[in-house]
Amino acid sequence: MKILSSVENESILRASLALNKGQLVAFPTETVYGLGADASNEKAVKRIFTVKNRPFTSPLIVHIADATSVHKLAEDVPDYVQKLTNDFWPGPLTLILKKKSSVSNFVTGNQKFVGIRVPKNIFALEMLKEFEKFGKYGVAAPSANRFQSVSPTTGQDVFEELGDKLDSNDLIIEDGQTLIGIESTIIYCGKKYVQVLRPGAITQSMLEKSIPGLVKIKKEIKIMSPGNHKKHYSPKAKIVFDRAAEPGWGYIALNNIPTPPKVLRLASPRNSAEFAKILYLSFRNADRLGIKTVLVQIPSTGKYREALADRVLKAAGINKK
Ligand code: TXA
Ligand code: MG
């Protein structure tokens, strides 16, 4: 595997060539790094599952360069989807839509639906555009970590997660720390309503403002939803959130919360957005430092509170669903 810098002129072309040849390319997005493959290449997509040690039934998000390609992947697309893509793409919003028969089952885990997203990262967008010049569209990419581990937010993290599993012609693009730090919001797009399956930077109230009256609060749908596995997004350290700190533990809290005695403060974000940005990074630092338990004080206010509660609870092995 080779690590390329996103700022090198040739990296965009080399990444799209590698994808076209069926290699894997770990690339930055604004949320977390993805492990990409040509969505139409079965052999390449299958390698994603092997490299991550991920079950084949778990569907992959298809990344596209712009909203016009939605109709190449999905059918019966509800009218309100155009409003959503205008308002939030490129950006951290994944749409679950009815798939066209041309979209392979090995991408969607045999489901009738496909997850689609236009990421807001310059390198990712340029790479996806360049890839389309081969007459292809769609890069299937899950987060570039081992199954049930923490999503990577730097190229270095990807290397540490998957470096030994990638082969000599695969690529990792180093683009530094991602802007948001946690995965995209995922919404199911039904005929008459949408429903949030995974909270993220695009919040329920932002969706409600964009398409008033169409966002369902109550969970009703039966399609397989993200993070159904009991433990998810977990570092080696045990994550706790609902008890008092003990000596020797790692500690993550907003900067206005004082550090309890004898704990190691891993981060002091100033608001919920900063909290999201440092969460996985702090989990990784805890593991690097050999910390056994990390206490996370989940912020009770702020735009990212819901997404943070979701990720921390999953890291702690608690599944609300
Ligand atoms: O921010 C993100 O979404 C990142 C970047 C790389 O785009 N990707 C990401 O992918 O987090 P992944 O595979 O780690 O998580 C995507 C979740 C999975 O839990 C999967 O089950 C769900 O989305 N998903 C994908 N396609 C789906 C579909 N057709 N139906 C239901 N769930 C789907
Ligand atoms: Mg993931």
Side-chain angles (χ1 to χ4, degrees):
M1 159 264 321
K2 292 180 196 72
I3 302 178
L4 303 181
S5 163
S6 61
V7 295
E8 290 290 329
N9 282 336
E10 282 186 1
S11 296
I12 290 164
L13 190 60
R14 285 179 69 182
S16 59
L17 277 168
L19 288 168
N20 191 46
K21 282 190 184 146
Q23 295 299 141
L24 301 187
V25 176
F27 64 97
T29 79
E30 78 281 33
T31 57
V32 300
Y33 279 67
L35 179 65
D38 174 355
S40 66
N41 183 330
E42 178 164 4
K43 215 170 138 200
V45 172
K46 283 196 166 151
R47 271 196 64 224
I48 292 181
F49 291 92
T50 330
V51 163
K52 281 188 55 120
N53 195 21
R54 173 170 165 137
F56 283 100
T57 48
S58 190
L60 305 178
I61 296 173
V62 179
H63 297 70
I64 54 177
D66 64 77
T68 53
S69 300
V70 163
H71 297 275
K72 295 176 190 155
L73 299 163
E75 59 188 24
D76 299 341
V77 178
D79 291 343
Y80 65 76
V81 164
Q82 191 168 0
K83 181 71 169 66
L84 290 175
T85 60
N86 282 344
D87 287 354
F88 301 117
W89 277 2
L93 180 68
T94 297
L95 306 177
I96 306 290
L97 291 160
K98 192 171 160 204
K99 85 171 185 78
K100 274 197 159 162
S101 58
S102 54
V103 178
S104 312
N105 282 328
F106 53 79
V107 171
T108 62
N110 279 322
Q111 298 202 56
K112 286 182 290 180
F113 303 95
V114 58
I116 310 175
R117 166 166 124 79
V118 178
K120 192 177 184 169
N121 170 282
I122 294 170
F123 182 90
L125 283 172
E126 292 297 324
M127 179 189 79
L128 292 167
K129 270 185 215 148
E130 198 62 41
F131 181 64
E132 286 189 357
K133 291 186 189 161
F134 294 111
K136 303 212 173 143
Y137 49 88
V139 171
S143 52
N145 51 277
R146 278 171 285 120
F147 182 56
Q148 292 183 339
S149 173
V150 179
S151 294
T153 58
T154 67
Q156 177 65 28
D157 294 346
V158 178
F159 178 75
E160 286 173 23
E161 282 279 330
L162 302 176
D164 58 342
K165 303 278 191 318
L166 295 172
D167 80 23
S168 56
N169 291 319
D170 295 332
L171 299 176
I172 295 176
I173 307 298
E174 179 59 85
D175 186 51
Q177 174 72 38
T178 59
L179 209 63
I180 292 175
I182 56 169
E183 305 82 356
S184 63
T185 303
I186 300 182
I187 59 172
Y188 166 75
C189 299
K191 261 195 194 117
K192 297 204 175 90
Y193 64 88
V194 309
Q195 192 172 297
V196 176
L197 302 180
R198 178 174 75 182
I202 306 299
T203 61
Q204 184 111 2
S205 68
M206 288 162 79
L207 293 166
E208 184 61 41
K209 269 192 201 120
S210 170
I211 47 168
L214 297 182
V215 186
K216 236 189 194 153
I217 312 277
K218 215 171 141 254
K219 295 223 159 31
E220 279 177 13
I221 56 134
K222 289 201 180 67
I223 67 166
M224 195 175 104
S225 57
N228 267 340
H229 308 280
K230 191 150 185 280
K231 214 163 174 210
H232 222 82
Y233 316 109
S234 308
K236 286 196 195 81
K238 185 178 173 200
I239 303 301
V240 296
F241 59 93
D242 53 357
R243 60 195 79 172
E246 291 180 22
W249 285 7
Y251 191 72
I252 308 172
L254 286 170
N255 71 340
N256 59 358
I257 301 176
T259 311
K262 295 186 182 154
V263 304
L264 185 75
R265 184 102 186 200
L266 292 163
S268 303
R270 285 171 299 183
N271 51 49
S272 75
E274 273 190 23
F275 210 116
K277 193 166 175 171
I278 57 79
L279 185 73
Y280 291 158
L281 183 143
S282 304
F283 285 175
R284 281 179 195 282
N285 283 340
D287 284 350
R288 284 175 191 133
L289 294 164
I291 294 172
K292 297 278 185 296
T293 306
V294 176
L295 176 65
V296 186
Q297 299 282 18
I298 305 166
S300 54
T301 58
K303 180 180 159 187
Y304 286 79
R305 68 182 184 282
E306 214 196 323
L308 286 167
D310 175 74
R311 302 310 191 275
V312 173
L313 262 64
K314 280 175 185 156
I318 294 165
N319 203 331
K320 284 188 295 181
K321 287 173 208 154

